[in-house]
Amino acid sequence: MDKIKFLVAVFLLSVFSNLNAQSCLSNGISFANQGQVNDFRMNYPGCKIIEGGITVNDTGVSNFDSLIDLTTIEGTLYLNDNSSINLQGLQLSLIHI
């Protein structure tokens, strides 16, 4: 009986943890300016895992503070000529390339 309770508890924990880690953007996302980065949380509420990649095409993007809720990028993070960007706001636990 204890084994069944344990298996049920493990199952419920895995279901609830998956609810908190909502995936989005299977084709990735491209940011053309800082305003688009800043609006990410409003445009994609609850998004924790980007299934595609992130491309930043504008040297005017200076920080990723609005992406603080992301935990995983399953694609490539491509910064096009953004040598001065602050990556501190992008604190991912895992990036798959």
Side-chain angles (χ1 to χ4, degrees):
M1 190 65 159
D2 288 333
K3 187 175 183 179
I4 293 172
K5 288 180 184 177
F6 175 75
L7 291 174
V8 169
V10 169
F11 173 75
L12 290 175
L13 284 174
S14 68
V15 167
F16 287 117
S17 67
N18 286 337
L19 290 176
N20 290 333
Q22 181 181 2
S23 296
C24 62
L25 301 165
S26 61
N27 292 326
I29 189 167
S30 180
F31 296 114
N33 57 57
Q34 184 66 49
Q36 289 177 331
V37 175
N38 294 345
D39 291 343
F40 182 82
R41 292 173 81 185
M42 182 178 63
N43 293 335
Y44 303 98
C47 179
K48 304 270 187 207
I49 300 169
I50 293 183
E51 294 175 356
I54 294 178
T55 301
V56 179
N57 289 317
D58 183 6
T59 56
V61 174
S62 59
N63 68 70
F64 282 139
D65 293 347
S66 298
L67 305 182
I68 192 92
D69 294 333
L70 288 180
T71 59
T72 306
I73 300 171
E74 293 181 347
T76 302
L77 174 60
Y78 180 74
L79 305 176
N80 186 14
D81 196 25
N82 290 84
S83 59
S84 63
I85 195 166
N86 179 352
L87 298 177
Q88 188 171 0
L90 192 62
Q91 298 183 16
L92 303 173
S93 59
L94 179 61
I95 297 178
H96 301 280
I97 298 177

